Structures are given as structure tokens and as C-alpha cells.
Amino acid sequence: MTVLVSIPTKNQAQEELRAWSEVPDDLIDIGAAALAFGALRHPRRETVSYREHLDRIAAEVAQMAQTVRPVRVEQVAGLLREVIAMRHGYEGDEETYDSPDNANLMKVIDRRKGLPVALGIIYLAAARANGWGAVGLNFPEHFLIRLEFNGRRLIIDPFARGEVVAVPRLRELIKTRLGPEAELVPEFYMPLSNKDVLLRLQNNLKLRYLRAGMDEAASEILESMLLLTPDRANLWREFGNTLARLGQEHRAIVALENYLTLTGEDTTRSHTASLVEQLKALTAITGA
């Protein structure tokens, strides 16, 4: 196995994310890992009460399930919706959609509002805690969840208070986000790994910071993503390019060399190798 240059540990949340990187994907506690990401932005806030809140939601769903005794997947969806959306008031944030708080699970729990993927993690955690099949889907620009129970499946929208989403609504969503000519394709129904769901959560923050020209904040998000997935070559390249723009040549060289170690031949490899040589020349000249 290739040994990469590691990112220095700064606090407990980083240690936790690094620990999650080393376990099989299906054993990752997606709620706990998402809270660790949130704690990176708020290192002085404890996460115990937030974990207890997620556990309480799962326990309330279990209690209702003992009464209802679901036999259909629609009933499972209804139980999740009843507890998460109706009882606890979780819903999509339409008014301040682009707020960074909407992609931080700690803040989402505080406010009971968030982005689709942040809310989706709450649904995934509750469903899995009760032994029900639940995965995030590779649906573009709007995170959706597929539930499976007793051999049947359906899709729910955590942003819309856990409503069941039928095919006409899926077509509407895809055309709204990708244009009127867009159509549903099998790729959009592919399940995401736990790590990919968590990266999607962080990617929302990264993109917002990059659009705002906040490269320092974006680099911190990329660094956190690499704690969980140090084997993702594309993230090392993006991290290195961002550090280079910030004038952090030594760190950029390390990140870009990690990218070159991990990647095979592609269209960006030669450009990246050239950039590394330029950065090394620059540091030699400046003595930095």
C-alpha cells in the first residue's frame, strides 16, 4: 500500500475522521462522522449532545415501529417522516439555502434546517439504526434517499420533509437543475458510499467558499475531506492547487506529489508535474 504524507492532527475531530478513514465503508457511523466534520468548524463545542439527539430520533422511530409494525416500505417512510419532520421539525432551508450552516450537521440540528444531504444523513442514521435499508443516491444537485424494506424500494426527499418522490417529480427535479433537455438516466439511481455522502456534504461548503473567493476556507474544507479519504487523487490535486494560489508552496508541493503518487496517466498529470517543478523552483529562489 502506498504511504502518503499525512495531514498533521490538530484536534480530536481530525483524529476521529482519520479513524473513520481506516474502517470499512459500511461500518462508518455516518451521523458521527458528519458531526466530526461539523466540530472542525466549531472545535470548542462538544458533540455528545448531538449524538444523543440522533440516538433519540432513532429510538423514537423504533418505538413507533413497535406500535405500527410496518410491513410495507411506505410505512417505513411514514415513520421516518413522522418523527424527523413532524415531531422534530426538520425541513429544507429555502430562505437561506447558501448559508454554510446548512452543511454543518451541528448547526442543522440546532436550527432544524439544512441542505438535502445534511438532512439526509439524519434520515440515513435513523433508518439504519432500525435495521432498514437506506442509501443516498447519486442524484445530481439534490440529495435523495432510497429506502428498501420487505423487498420493495422507494425514494424520499429529506429536503421536502421526507416526502416520497415518484418518477414525475424526479423528472421535474432533474430538469430544474440540469436544464429542460435533461432526462433521468440509470447513473442517477446508483447508491453512494458513506464516504461519498460525507464528501458531498463537505463539497457544498467548498464550492460556496470558492465562489466567494475564500481560498483559505476552501483549503480547510479540502483538508478535512482528505482526512476521511486520503486515497482520493482528485482531492489532493485540488488541495494542492488551492494552496498554490494561497502562496503556500511547500504544502502545495506535498499535496500535488501525493496526487502524482496516486494517479495514473491522465490529462492533468503532466500539467501537475510541471506545476510541482515550478513551485520547487520558486521555493529555491525565495528560500521559503
Side-chain angles (χ1 to χ4, degrees):
M1 179 178 178
T2 302
V3 178
L4 301 176
V5 179
S6 63
I7 301 171
T9 297
K10 295 179 181 178
N11 54 41
Q12 185 177 353
Q14 287 182 317
E15 288 283 12
E16 183 174 352
L17 287 167
R18 185 176 284 114
W20 286 124
S21 76
E22 297 175 354
V23 304
D25 189 88
D26 61 348
L27 297 182
I28 292 175
D29 182 331
I30 197 167
L35 287 173
F37 274 129
L40 288 176
R41 307 297 293 176
H42 303 280
R44 295 186 179 182
R45 298 184 69 176
E46 53 80 25
T47 60
V48 173
S49 62
Y50 294 98
R51 295 190 188 207
E52 289 175 346
H53 176 73
L54 295 179
D55 290 342
R56 185 162 59 252
I57 286 175
E60 290 176 12
V61 171
Q63 186 177 29
M64 288 189 66
Q66 288 178 353
T67 301
V68 175
R69 298 193 179 279
V71 294
R72 295 181 294 112
V73 68
E74 291 83 359
Q75 292 174 296
V76 166
L79 291 171
L80 293 170
R81 173 180 166 83
E82 177 64 29
V83 173
I84 297 171
M86 302 307 177
R87 183 178 297 180
H88 288 277
Y90 283 97
E91 62 183 357
D93 186 352
E94 297 277 6
E95 296 181 358
T96 57
Y97 187 87
D98 287 326
S99 169
D101 287 348
N102 284 329
N104 182 318
L105 189 58
M106 296 169 73
K107 291 289 190 177
V108 170
I109 291 173
D110 288 338
R111 301 166 64 241
R112 301 297 198 265
K113 292 182 178 182
L115 292 175
V117 63
L119 296 168
I121 287 171
I122 297 173
Y123 281 81
L124 288 171
R128 292 170 178 176
N130 282 279
W132 301 330
V135 295
L137 296 182
N138 189 41
F139 198 86
E141 300 189 24
H142 193 90
F143 187 75
L144 298 170
I145 290 173
R146 187 184 72 205
L147 297 176
E148 184 169 0
F149 184 74
N150 277 353
R152 291 195 59 199
R153 295 174 172 178
L154 56 71
I155 296 172
I156 62 172
D157 183 353
F159 195 75
R161 300 173 70 85
E163 290 183 355
V164 175
V165 186
V167 171
R169 175 57 178 158
L170 291 173
R171 290 199 180 100
E172 180 183 339
L173 283 170
I174 203 64
K175 291 179 183 297
T176 299
R177 281 150 180 78
L178 300 186
E181 303 302 318
E183 296 293 344
L184 296 171
V185 296
E187 178 186 354
F188 298 163
Y189 297 99
M190 294 294 293
L192 295 174
S193 68
N194 282 322
K195 287 182 178 178
D196 282 329
V197 172
L198 292 161
L199 291 182
R200 187 160 171 166
L201 177 71
Q202 292 299 91
N203 200 53
N204 279 285
L205 287 171
K206 181 200 73 177
L207 292 175
R208 282 159 174 74
Y209 290 138
L210 287 175
R211 284 197 294 264
M214 299 169 64
D215 281 353
E216 183 69 41
S219 73
E220 292 175 2
I221 298 301
L222 284 162
E223 186 175 16
S224 73
M225 296 164 81
L226 284 162
L227 287 168
L228 181 68
T229 55
D231 58 343
R232 300 290 177 101
N234 64 311
L235 290 178
W236 282 110
R237 180 168 59 85
E238 191 173 5
F239 185 42
N241 288 338
T242 304
L243 292 173
R245 290 198 302 272
L246 290 167
Q248 298 182 30
E249 287 86 3
H250 285 290
R251 295 183 71 207
I253 290 168
V254 170
L256 294 173
E257 287 185 335
N258 278 343
Y259 163 75
L260 293 172
T261 299
L262 285 169
T263 191
E265 293 296 332
D266 64 16
T267 57
T268 62
R269 183 177 176 83
S270 60
H271 178 270
T272 301
S274 176
L275 176 57
V276 169
E277 293 307 312
Q278 293 174 36
L279 291 171
K280 286 182 175 178
L282 180 61
T283 57
I285 293 172
T286 62

